[in-house]
């Protein structure tokens, strides 16, 4: 996949990910500034330019995350080797439950947008009312969010006397209750009294949502409302094939950096993830000798149980990161009864199906011994040869598992970036080829 050529932080500007739109003829504007690198970029795009935008984003490594029953919203995700960027694109400015009420203000906002730091932004007045209506009417919005209210007060001051320009006064009159006028909200924002504003918005929200529903039914008709409600209810099932989480096993000798990698990769991943420890050997701690004798019988069942935990999390859409896997049983046995141990290890090797991806953290035994000092270099190298060899022989059978070998001598951040890129390539392919189908 082509890397994203720009990202949020470079010397050339504040939101360089938007530079990919500079050299193409697309009418667009940023609806609000992102709070940090993990925040979505919300873009308003002219409807006639939408497909051109989708093509541009696709050529720069972005993948669309399918959604259903969410109005004109389309969601895109990209990874540049350091961090993920999520973009929420809309062509209309609709509000209320299921985005049922059409404000018809998109073209006016695009026409009034202005260039700020080489980035097109909607005007402060338009951003004010777009944000305010989102808090008052949309599903899942919290009208008392402190950072949103603080931002609204700054926008009101910046808007000055143009608080209801470009036709917002006419649009707002349709859905604001008589007791909560646009002028009253604007003055409360200018005064900066957060407690008064929170109370006013909490009171207005249920009234505004009901009026949005009524106005939306008049605009669109009951059939549209029923169809959209059905799409939203069935959205998780429609998204399942594309969003079903991957099963990723991370293998490497002691000292290879598995724990650090899993922490960094999980923190970077843009969706939910779950870490499952799959170690086979450190079982008996301060237990009786009888308990130690039972562990060989319990290990296969524990391996199946932990795979089941990961599979359930995968079905729920989470990325599952297995810390070790049954493939550790490919390591050569030591001590007495090596023949019996080989047969037992062969059973353990087949106690769980193959994951989607196996990550092999490769580093010489001497370096690993210097890092952790728990096993001698020869033992660590023997583990690498046996376990890695077994996994590589499995590669390609029925398409699972896919295997990627990572140089674990690199800095942890570089290792994490390489592993995340490999996981993202598989996830993006799944979204592209399995996440489509049906109307939106």
């Amino acid at each position: 996949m082509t890397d994203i050529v720009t990202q949020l932080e470079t010397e050339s500007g504040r939101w360089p990910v938007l530079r990919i739109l500079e050299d193409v003829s697309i009418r667009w504007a940023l609806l609000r500034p992102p709070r940090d690198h993990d925040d979505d970029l919300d873009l308003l795009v002219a409807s006639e330019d939408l497909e051109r935008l989708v093509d541009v984003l696709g050529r720069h490594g972005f993948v669309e995350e399918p959604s259903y029953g969410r109005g004109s919203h389309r969601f895109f995700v990209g990874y540049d080797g350091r961090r993920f960027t999520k973009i929420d694109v809309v062509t209309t400015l609709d509000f209320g439950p299921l985005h049922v009420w059409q404000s018809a203000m998109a073209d006016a906002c695009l026409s009034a947008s202005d260039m700020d730091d080489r980035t097109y932004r909607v005007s402060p007045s338009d951003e004010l009312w777009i944000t305010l209506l989102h808090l008052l009417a949309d599903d899942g919005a919290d009208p008392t969010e402190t950072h949103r209210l603080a931002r609204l007060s700054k926008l009101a001051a910046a808007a000055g006397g143009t608080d209801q320009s470009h036709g917002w006064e006419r649009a707002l009159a349709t859905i604001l209750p008589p007791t909560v006028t646009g002028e009253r909200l604007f003055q409360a924002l200018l005064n900066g009294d957060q407690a008064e504003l929170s109370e006013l918005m909490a009171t207005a929200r249920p009234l505004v949502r009901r009026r949005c529903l009524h106005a939306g039914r008049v605009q669109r008709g009951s059939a549209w409302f029923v169809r959209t409600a059905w799409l939203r209810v069935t959205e998780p099932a429609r998204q399942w094939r594309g969003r079903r989480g991957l099963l990723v096993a991370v293998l490497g000798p002691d000292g290879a950096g598995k724990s650090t990698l899993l922490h960094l990769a999980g923190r970077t991943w843009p969706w939910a993830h779950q870490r499952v420890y799959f170690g086979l050997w450190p079982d008996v701690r301060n237990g009786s000798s009888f308990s130690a004798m039972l562990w060989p019988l319990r290990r296969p069942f524990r391996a199946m149980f932990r795979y089941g935990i990961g599979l359930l999390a995968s079905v729920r859409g989470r990325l599952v990161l297995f810390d070790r896997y049954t493939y550790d049983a490919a390591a050569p046995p030591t001590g007495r009864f090596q023949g019996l141990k080989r047969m037992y290890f062969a059973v353990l090797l087949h106690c769980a199906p193959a994951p989607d991806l196996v990550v092999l953290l490769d580093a010489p035994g001497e370096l690993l011994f210097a890092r952790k000092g728990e096993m001698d270099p020869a033992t660590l190298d023997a583990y690498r040869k046996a376990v890695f060899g077994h996994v590589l022989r499995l590669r390609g059978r029925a398409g699972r598992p896919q295997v990627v070998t990572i140089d674990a001598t690199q800095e942890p951040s570089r290792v994490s970036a390489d592993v995340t890129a490999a996981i993202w390539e598989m996830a993006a392919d799944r979204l592209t080829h399995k996440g489509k189908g049906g109307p939106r």
Side-chain angles (χ1 to χ4, degrees):
M1 294 179 61
T2 305
D3 285 342
I4 302 170
V5 296
T6 50
Q7 253 294 337
L8 282 174
E9 187 177 21
T10 69
E11 296 178 358
S12 61
R14 192 174 178 185
W15 303 295
V17 69
L18 303 176
R19 301 296 179 260
I20 63 178
L21 304 181
E22 286 185 349
D23 299 327
V24 291
S25 179
I26 295 176
R27 293 176 64 212
W28 63 275
L30 190 66
L31 288 174
R32 63 176 179 84
R35 284 181 291 161
D36 50 44
H37 288 297
D38 297 325
D39 201 8
D40 294 0
L41 289 173
D42 294 336
L43 298 186
L44 174 64
V45 179
S47 57
E48 63 270 18
D49 295 331
L50 176 61
E51 292 309 315
R52 192 177 308 138
L53 173 72
V54 172
D55 179 66
V56 169
L57 291 177
R59 284 190 280 110
H60 288 85
F62 283 86
V63 175
E64 183 170 4
E65 182 182 5
S67 60
Y68 303 88
R70 298 187 179 273
S72 68
H73 286 263
R74 296 183 68 171
F75 304 95
F76 299 86
V77 185
Y79 180 67
D80 75 331
R82 293 182 301 159
R83 61 175 65 90
F84 285 90
T85 299
K86 302 175 76 172
I87 301 180
D88 180 0
V89 177
V90 294
T91 55
T92 59
L93 294 174
D94 303 332
F95 302 94
L98 303 178
H99 307 285
V100 66
W101 175 67
Q102 298 173 298
S103 70
M105 291 297 297
D107 285 339
C109 290
L110 283 172
S111 299
S113 63
D114 196 10
M115 181 72 78
D116 178 13
D117 190 19
R118 297 173 62 199
T119 298
Y120 285 104
R121 298 270 305 276
V122 296
S123 69
S125 175
D126 289 332
E127 184 184 342
L128 166 68
W129 293 110
I130 291 168
T131 305
L132 189 64
L133 286 172
H134 165 70
L135 294 176
L136 286 175
D138 288 351
D139 294 324
D142 181 0
T144 63
E145 284 182 307
T146 304
H147 74 276
R148 297 279 194 200
L149 296 181
R151 177 67 182 164
L152 286 173
S153 296
K154 293 179 181 178
L155 290 171
T162 61
D163 55 294
Q164 294 186 28
S165 60
H166 312 308
W168 279 112
E169 68 279 4
R170 177 170 46 82
L172 292 167
T174 309
I175 60 167
L176 287 181
T179 56
V180 187
T181 63
E183 180 63 27
R184 183 180 176 187
L185 285 169
F186 187 75
Q187 289 302 319
L189 288 168
L190 282 178
N191 294 336
D193 188 335
Q194 298 290 311
E196 177 188 2
L197 186 59
S198 296
E199 182 179 355
L200 182 62
M201 294 186 67
T203 301
R205 179 173 164 83
L207 300 174
V208 171
R209 284 173 62 82
R210 283 199 294 270
R211 290 172 74 93
C212 281
L213 282 171
H214 175 73
R217 288 195 187 98
V218 173
Q219 290 175 335
R220 300 177 185 266
S222 298
W224 178 94
F225 185 82
V226 172
R227 174 181 174 275
T228 302
W230 172 249
L231 287 174
R232 180 69 70 84
V233 169
T234 58
E235 183 182 48
R238 294 173 184 269
Q239 290 177 329
W240 184 82
R241 292 187 67 207
R243 295 191 65 178
R244 181 168 56 87
L246 295 170
L247 299 171
V248 180
V250 178
L251 300 179
D254 289 344
K258 294 184 293 297
S259 297
T260 302
L261 164 64
L262 292 167
H263 171 72
L264 293 175
R267 188 176 64 182
T268 304
W269 194 248
W271 299 295
H273 74 283
Q274 183 166 333
R275 179 174 169 178
V276 179
Y277 181 69
F278 221 110
L280 296 175
W281 312 124
D283 296 323
V284 182
R285 295 177 183 267
N286 301 320
S288 65
S289 58
F290 179 74
S291 181
M293 292 173 57
L294 291 178
W295 266 114
L297 300 176
R298 296 172 59 180
R299 281 193 186 103
F301 295 101
R302 189 179 71 161
M304 289 185 280
F305 176 73
R306 292 189 174 178
Y307 176 81
I309 292 175
L311 183 63
L312 179 60
S314 169
V315 169
R316 295 172 60 191
R318 296 181 178 182
L319 168 69
V320 178
L321 299 171
F322 288 122
D323 184 350
R324 299 184 178 274
Y325 206 64
T326 56
Y327 301 145
D328 281 334
T334 59
R336 298 183 300 171
F337 310 115
Q338 291 190 15
L340 290 174
K341 288 180 178 180
R342 285 192 182 93
M343 290 188 289
Y344 176 61
F345 288 0
V347 173
L348 291 179
L349 279 171
H350 296 87
C351 283
D356 296 296
L357 176 67
V358 177
V359 176
L360 304 177
L361 298 180
D362 193 22
E366 291 184 359
L367 175 63
L368 299 176
F369 178 73
R371 286 181 178 177
K372 207 162 185 179
E374 292 186 356
M375 295 184 182
D376 62 87
T379 301
L380 294 169
D381 283 332
Y383 171 94
R384 289 169 57 218
K385 182 178 179 180
V387 175
F388 289 15
H390 173 77
V391 172
L392 291 172
R393 287 192 295 273
L394 293 175
R395 180 170 51 185
R397 297 181 185 178
R400 293 178 66 184
Q402 293 191 32
V403 182
V404 59
T405 302
I406 302 297
D407 181 5
T409 64
Q410 306 176 93
E411 290 294 322
S413 59
R414 186 66 260 168
V415 173
S416 175
D418 290 345
V419 172
T420 302
I423 298 173
W424 169 241
E425 185 174 358
M426 293 188 67
D429 182 71
R430 178 172 285 181
L431 280 172
T432 301
H433 295 99
K434 295 183 179 179
K436 300 178 180 179
R440 295 183 183 182

